[in-house]
Amino acid sequence: MAPSAQTLPTSVSDEKYANVKWEELGFGFYRTDNMYVAKCKHGESFQEGSIVPYADFQISPCSAVLNYGQGLYEGLKAYRTEDGRIVLFRPDQNALRLKSGAHRLCMPYPSVDQFVSAVKQVVLANKKWIPPPGRGTLYIRPILFGSGPILGSLPVPEYTYTVFACPVGRFHQDNAGLNLKIEDKFRRAFPSGTGGVKSITNYSPVWITLAEAKAQGFSDVLFLDAATGKNVEELFASNVFIVKGNVVSTPEISGTILPGVTRKSIIELTRDFGYKVEERVVPVEDLLDAEEVFCTGTAAIVTTIASVTFKETKTEFKTGDKTLAAKLFANLTDIQMGRVEDKKGWTVELTDATTPGLKL
């Protein structure tokens, strides 16, 4: 876990890096140097924001985000390649997902170009915090929220778009595979709700189930659909895939499941490997009958699921270096880290020239 104090442990002496013990890096918060902030008044559009020193916000107790949960966040990463480049992975897809979520939560939003520009600026402004190749990544968190005060009815007078970043290691540290609990009481998302967008309101309501599962020794929770309670949907913050023979299945995007950027990429890579990919309703029985199960996400990347427990019955799946999950993980991270040619056009290289207006 990352230390909670502001002072970070010393480590790599190379001046281009921050003083971090990269080998001990987990998936937790490190305070870095700079962040991006842009404001937007009601009835206006977002204009270019600016890089400022990382600091707390001063916000009204009556703000829309605190009183009504009007907020979205995104998650993406910057990678330091072995030949010294800095790249992003498909940031335009995160921008488009934020746009979709903003429409659902009745908020103005930055354009795709503004979104990507802000991400680039934050990465370059915190360049020394990008871990050495193979030692982690720089996690980037864009947030859009109603910052103006509101009580009872619209309009919200002000919105804020901000981006910060911190170095992270692997989200799931257990290379042997995850041990999941299928949650059959609580539901993560509901038809016509916000499960299909990255609303801040999606997560804390199911923390209780995650905390209980972890206390019982499970790695994560797999949620079922609210309509029938018979079909798997997703983990706390990851999409799920099952493998049976040459067919790979994943729950279809139907409004209750987040359209993951990694999910979308893995579907394409899986088809490149010659598998048939089905986006469909996945009954619990199909999951339990699978040969292999894995999950995907910006934090999870591609992580093998070793077992699931449903109503006290544990089912185990194939794990190890010869799984499809292992092959996909290697292929995806090779592209992200620049170890192979990016024939998909998914990566975006950053240089100081990419943000000519950046002033530090």
Side-chain angles (χ1 to χ4, degrees), residues 8-236:
L8 299 173
T10 59
S11 182
V12 180
S13 60
D14 191 332
E15 290 183 0
K16 73 177 181 180
Y17 292 114
N19 290 326
V20 177
K21 289 184 178 178
W22 303 110
E23 66 278 3
E24 298 179 5
L25 195 61
F27 198 93
F29 175 70
Y30 269 119
R31 178 170 178 155
T32 53
D33 297 325
N34 301 288
M35 64 183 190
Y36 176 97
V37 180
K39 302 272 187 183
C40 176
K41 299 294 185 182
H42 170 68
E44 299 178 355
S45 298
F46 274 100
Q47 302 301 313
E48 184 63 37
S50 60
I51 291 291
V52 298
Y54 185 95
D56 294 341
F57 281 113
Q58 182 176 351
I59 191 169
S60 169
C62 202
S63 64
V65 66
L66 293 182
N67 288 263
Y68 300 102
Q70 190 189 38
L72 298 161
Y73 78 83
E74 279 297 324
L76 63 161
K77 292 176 177 177
Y79 307 81
R80 193 186 295 272
T81 67
E82 293 176 1
D83 59 358
R85 295 178 295 121
I86 297 171
V87 299
L88 300 171
F89 184 73
R90 309 191 77 175
D92 60 313
Q93 297 299 305
N94 295 92
L96 292 171
R97 190 168 66 180
L98 185 80
K99 175 182 177 181
S100 175
H103 177 75
R104 178 66 178 83
L105 298 190
C106 200
M107 291 191 287
Y109 51 86
S111 69
V112 171
D113 287 345
Q114 287 173 324
F115 178 99
V116 175
S117 173
V119 168
K120 289 179 177 179
Q121 290 181 55
V122 167
V123 172
L124 293 175
N126 295 287
K127 187 160 54 173
K128 69 180 182 181
W129 296 97
I130 306 174
R135 307 288 286 278
T137 53
L138 187 72
Y139 184 81
I140 306 152
R141 175 61 63 86
I143 310 172
L144 176 66
F145 62 97
S147 50
I150 176 176
L151 193 63
S153 64
L154 295 170
V156 177
E158 181 189 76
Y159 294 89
T160 296
Y161 171 56
T162 186
V163 186
F164 71 89
C166 62
V168 298
R170 286 290 300 272
F171 184 70
H172 294 296
Q173 299 289 345
D174 189 356
N175 293 327
L178 304 183
N179 174 29
L180 302 187
K181 175 185 178 182
I182 296 181
E183 174 56 51
D184 61 349
K185 296 179 182 178
F186 289 89
R187 301 291 182 256
R188 176 193 169 273
F190 300 85
S192 300
T194 59
V197 299
K198 210 163 176 61
S199 170
I200 63 172
T201 58
N202 291 350
Y203 297 91
S204 62
V206 290
W207 269 352
I208 186 172
T209 62
L210 183 62
E212 290 174 352
K214 285 184 176 291
Q216 296 167 4
F218 295 101
S219 310
D220 208 328
V221 174
L222 181 59
F223 291 95
L224 302 178
D225 71 299
T228 70
K230 296 180 179 179
N231 308 307
V232 298
E233 291 214 317
E234 64 177 281
L235 284 71
F236 174 73

